[in-house]
Amino acid sequence: PGPHNLTCVSYKHPSVRGTLGDAGGAVAGAVRCPPGQCCVGIWNRSHALVQGCWGGRGDACPSATCAPSPAGHPGSSVLLCLCHGHLCNGNATGTATATGTAVGLG
C-alpha cells in the first residue's frame, strides 16, 4: 500500500541541472503525488536543492516527518529525507537538526 493523495512541497534550486519530474522552478510550490509515492527533500548545508515526490515504494518512507540523514559518502554535505506526511518535505526536523548536522535547515 503506501500513501494516497499525498501532497509534497515541489522545488528545484536554480543550481540543479536537468529535469526532475514534477519538481518546480526556483519558486516553491506543491505537487500531488501518484498513489504509493512519498515526499523527498534533498539539501546541502545552506539551502534546499530538490523537493518533490519520491518514485520509490511508499514503505521506503516510514516517517511522517522529514528527519534528514547524510546522503552519499560519510561526511557528505548533502542531506536526504523521505517522508509520508502532507507537505512533510518542506521542513527538516528531528535528530539531524538538533545535532547541528543540518545547519541552515528548518
Side-chain angles (χ1 to χ4, degrees):
H4 294 282
N5 299 318
L6 183 63
T7 301
C8 300
V9 173
S10 176
Y11 173 77
K12 184 177 88 168
H13 190 271
S15 67
V16 176
R17 298 182 191 168
T19 58
L20 298 167
D22 290 330
V27 176
V31 62
R32 178 77 45 117
C33 298
Q37 292 189 1
C38 57
C39 300
V40 62
I42 302 172
W43 293 268
N44 68 15
R45 292 187 185 268
S46 64
H47 59 269
L49 296 172
V50 175
Q51 294 163 296
C53 297
W54 176 254
R57 297 180 345 150
D59 58 358
C61 310
S63 177
T65 60
C66 177
S69 59
H73 61 84
S76 172
S77 64
V78 176
L79 301 170
L80 168 74
C81 81
L82 298 170
C83 54
H84 66 264
H86 286 287
L87 302 174
C88 63
N89 62 331
N91 292 308
T93 61
T95 58
T97 307
T99 61
T101 313
V103 174
L105 300 182

